[in-house]
Amino acid sequence: MSSNRPSWAPPERLLLGPGPSAVPARVLQALAAPTLGHLDPAYLAIMDETRRLMRQVFATENELTLAVSGTGSAGMEACLCNLIEPGDEAIVCVNGVFGGRMREVAERYGATVHAVEAEWGRAIDPDAIRRTLQEHPRTKLIGIVHAETSTGVQQPMDEVARLAQEHGALLVVDCVTSLGGVPVPTDEWKADAVYSGTQKCLSCPPGLAPVTFSKRAAEAIRSRRTKVISWYLDVSLLMAYWGSDRVYHHTAPINMTYALREALLMVVEEGLERRFARHQLNHLALRAGLEALGLTYIPDRSLPTLNAVSVPDGIDDAVIRKRLLLEYDIEIGAGLGPFKGRAWRVGLMGHSSSRRSVTTFLAALGTLLRELGWRGGSGDPLDAAGAVYAGHEKSS
Ligand SMILES: *Cc1c(COP(=O)(O)O)cnc(C)c1O
């Protein structure tokens, strides 16, 4: 398969898992540009441009916008540790792995967490948040996952955002699997802290976490009674470097910033609306193909960027994933938690969201399922996907 590559070179996979997604050559080339010093004016200009691009992609005017050194989870910690002081009350919505991680992180920074839960695969009911706010009127912050990658659920945000406003609670939103693939209207939501990661719909290698804080959040940070528990993620210290003071805090991951800048440029060049439409179209084509194979979607409201489907009866989840990887060089994700062994998670994020990904994956999966004796389904998955693309071409 990949026999003529040097022994140190990794194989080239088609990345259709829950992240990382495929990284375009342009972004990899940016990573390989000469390393600058972290206070070199040429680097500072690149930081400024990266901040401008992040604001565009987050659809925000927020001054306090930067890339945290670390992956999406570092973005989560940065948002929570700067806004939480020990003893604060917080509502965290939990309907999957990442809501659970948010609860854990909020507790570690000293919050008393009131969890609002929903069944895995279901969105959070805003009425449950409203009731919890009534029970706990001192709630300072509401944390919620916009795109729950463990279940494929897209959380409707409007009602949740309205509740946070009405109550005067800070709204923290996890947009790791939505930013760059699904609209993330930060300012329209009046969200106070939004974080993401580079390796999902931005199609950049993992290593940075774009975050943005509202004016209200900046005010809350300024009026803290206690120091932020994490020195590394203290946003006031970070802004002394990212802002006009340019005070050294920690050495920035210089080359990763080049890569993020290039990835964000690609988002802006494509245009946010066109990019969202591309993700939606490829999702609909994949969905038609998977349903033609007889597979069913788990969530009630599926993300276009992450497709969680049930593993058909009698089919061994791990065998299919292993054969996809080793025989076809295609990576997809396994189920987590209650979905372990019962779900596949197919990511169509950023550069991985393409007609080529959809047809290659459907052809491989269809072949493997047939070989393993699966006789469900009503039609040819490639015909079903092709019909979606043909319909789109006719209508546009
Ligand atoms: C991937 C992911 C994270 C964590 O990001 P890492 O880059 O793995 O640290 C957090 N939240 C959601 C919704 C994710 O999909």
Side-chain angles (χ1 to χ4, degrees), residues 140-157:
K140 173 179 171 185
L141 175 152
I142 300 172
I144 193 159
V145 179
H146 181 221
E148 183 43 90
T149 320
S150 61
T151 63
V153 168
Q154 178 168 350
Q155 176 67 43
M157 283 298 301

Side-chain angles (χ1 to χ4, degrees), residues 376-396:
S378 55
D380 182 277
L382 293 183
D383 287 348
V388 172
Y389 289 115
H392 172 75
E393 273 156 29
K394 226 184 273 161
S395 72
S396 63

Side-chain angles (χ1 to χ4, degrees), residues 36-359:
L36 288 165
H38 59 277
L39 292 172
D40 187 312
Y43 180 67
L44 299 177
I46 289 170
M47 284 173 82
D48 288 346
E49 193 188 352
T50 308
R51 290 182 73 198
R52 273 195 299 277
L53 290 164
M54 279 190 282
R55 286 194 195 99
Q56 271 183 273
V57 174
F58 273 125
T60 185
E61 305 280 326
N62 287 343
E63 169 57 24
L64 226 177
T65 302
L66 70 157
V68 168
S69 305
T71 61
S73 305
M76 182 191 290
E77 293 222 20
C79 290
L80 294 174
C81 78
N82 282 282
L83 295 177
I84 289 171
E85 295 193 66
D88 283 346
E89 290 188 45
I91 288 177
V92 177
C93 301
V94 182
N95 56 346
V97 167
F98 295 103
R101 184 174 297 182
M102 225 198 234
R103 166 168 58 186
E104 168 76 20
V105 170
E107 282 173 350
R108 284 179 184 230
Y109 287 110
T112 300
V113 173
H114 311 297
V116 170
E117 297 184 70
E119 199 187 323
W120 280 48
R122 298 289 159 266
I124 298 288
D125 175 6
D127 283 336
I129 301 178
R130 182 179 290 114
R131 284 194 299 275
T132 310
L133 278 169
Q134 281 160 1
E135 279 166 39
H136 302 286
R138 282 165 38 86
T139 295
K140 173 179 171 185
L141 175 152
I142 300 172
I144 193 159
V145 179
H146 181 221
E148 183 43 90
T149 320
S150 61
T151 63
V153 168
Q154 178 168 350
Q155 176 67 43
M157 283 298 301
D158 291 353
E159 188 69 20
V160 177
R162 199 158 39 239
L163 281 170
Q165 278 296 312
E166 275 170 27
H167 189 81
L170 295 163
L171 178 64
V172 178
V173 192
D174 179 324
C175 292
V176 177
T177 292
S178 46
L179 190 74
V182 180
V184 174
T186 301
D187 284 359
E188 215 177 288
W189 289 339
K190 298 191 164 65
D192 295 291
V194 181
Y195 60 88
S196 192
T198 44
Q199 79 276 20
K200 311 245 171 138
C201 302
L202 299 179
S203 276
C204 181
L208 285 175
V211 300
T212 186
F213 291 92
S214 70
K215 279 209 181 79
R216 200 157 61 121
E219 199 50 55
I221 293 168
R222 253 195 305 280
S223 55
R224 287 177 67 97
R225 290 167 282 111
T226 57
K227 278 189 182 178
V228 174
I229 290 173
S230 168
W231 175 85
Y232 197 76
L233 299 174
D234 183 328
V235 129
S236 309
L237 302 179
L238 294 173
M239 280 311 291
Y241 175 52
W242 283 83
S244 49
D245 294 346
R246 306 298 189 183
V247 179
Y248 161 73
H249 178 257
H250 67 273
T251 310
I254 309 291
N255 293 57
M256 268 307 296
T257 312
Y258 303 164
L260 174 59
R261 172 184 164 278
E262 198 65 31
L264 291 167
L265 261 179
M266 289 185 72
V267 174
V268 168
E269 283 170 10
E270 179 174 8
L272 286 171
E273 293 309 320
R274 274 181 61 195
R275 192 172 174 96
F276 302 148
R278 167 166 65 83
H279 280 82
Q280 182 64 14
L281 175 63
N282 289 317
H283 158 68
L284 291 176
L286 178 71
R287 180 167 192 139
L290 290 172
E291 288 176 346
L293 280 171
L295 272 57
T296 52
Y297 271 65
I298 292 170
D300 46 0
R301 310 177 60 103
S302 178
L303 281 161
T305 53
L306 195 284
N307 298 263
V309 291
S310 293
V311 175
D313 286 340
I315 295 294
D316 186 331
D317 145 58
V319 167
I320 294 272
R321 278 186 298 109
K322 188 170 171 198
R323 289 190 60 187
L324 278 170
L325 189 70
L326 299 183
E327 296 169 25
Y328 294 88
D329 276 316
I330 297 173
E331 175 177 284
I332 63 166
L336 297 176
F339 294 144
K340 189 170 188 299
R342 296 175 42 219
W344 287 318
R345 292 181 302 143
V346 186
L348 291 177
M349 302 183 190
H351 199 54
S352 288
S353 172
S354 67
R355 185 168 183 168
R356 180 169 70 136
S357 296
V358 169
T359 50

